[in-house]
Amino acid sequence: VWEDNGMGDAGLWYVRTFDGREADFLIELNGKPALAIEAAWADTSISAGLRNLAARLGTPIVQVVHTAGILRVENGTAVVSGDRLLRVLP
């Protein structure tokens, strides 16, 4: 959809570093990391490993949980429900 709307070349990746830090999804836009997404059932705390990975990539983090609504937004991170995330993605 991003490509069809002229927003650039988009990609969806799974990322894991050699030391085991990972992001369930990484959205890439025009060859650069744009957003790290972690999926969790109920855990609203974002792991230090994911924070470090996102800092190294220069991307904000969204943790998607089963609980409805927007649970927390602070310092480049957000904890939201899946439906909230899908509402803002093109």
Side-chain angles (χ1 to χ4, degrees), residues 12-15 22-26 36-40 50 53 64:
L12 183 64
W13 301 91
Y14 166 78
V15 177
E22 65 169 304
D24 291 335
F25 303 98
L26 179 70
I37 302 171
E38 183 73 17
L50 180 59
L53 177 61
V64 180

Side-chain angles (χ1 to χ4, degrees), residues 2-68:
W2 288 10
E3 292 175 9
D4 292 342
N5 287 333
M7 297 175 69
D9 294 324
L12 183 64
W13 301 91
Y14 166 78
V15 177
R16 187 174 69 181
T17 63
F18 289 112
D19 57 358
R21 295 180 179 132
E22 65 169 304
D24 291 335
F25 303 98
L26 179 70
I27 295 176
E28 171 191 81
L29 191 56
N30 296 322
K32 296 182 182 179
L35 179 64
I37 302 171
E38 183 73 17
W41 184 257
D43 186 10
T44 61
S45 62
I46 297 171
S47 72
L50 180 59
R51 287 182 189 275
N52 284 337
L53 177 61
R56 288 172 47 189
L57 294 173
T59 64
I61 302 168
V62 173
Q63 182 141 326
V64 180
V65 295
H66 182 319
T67 306

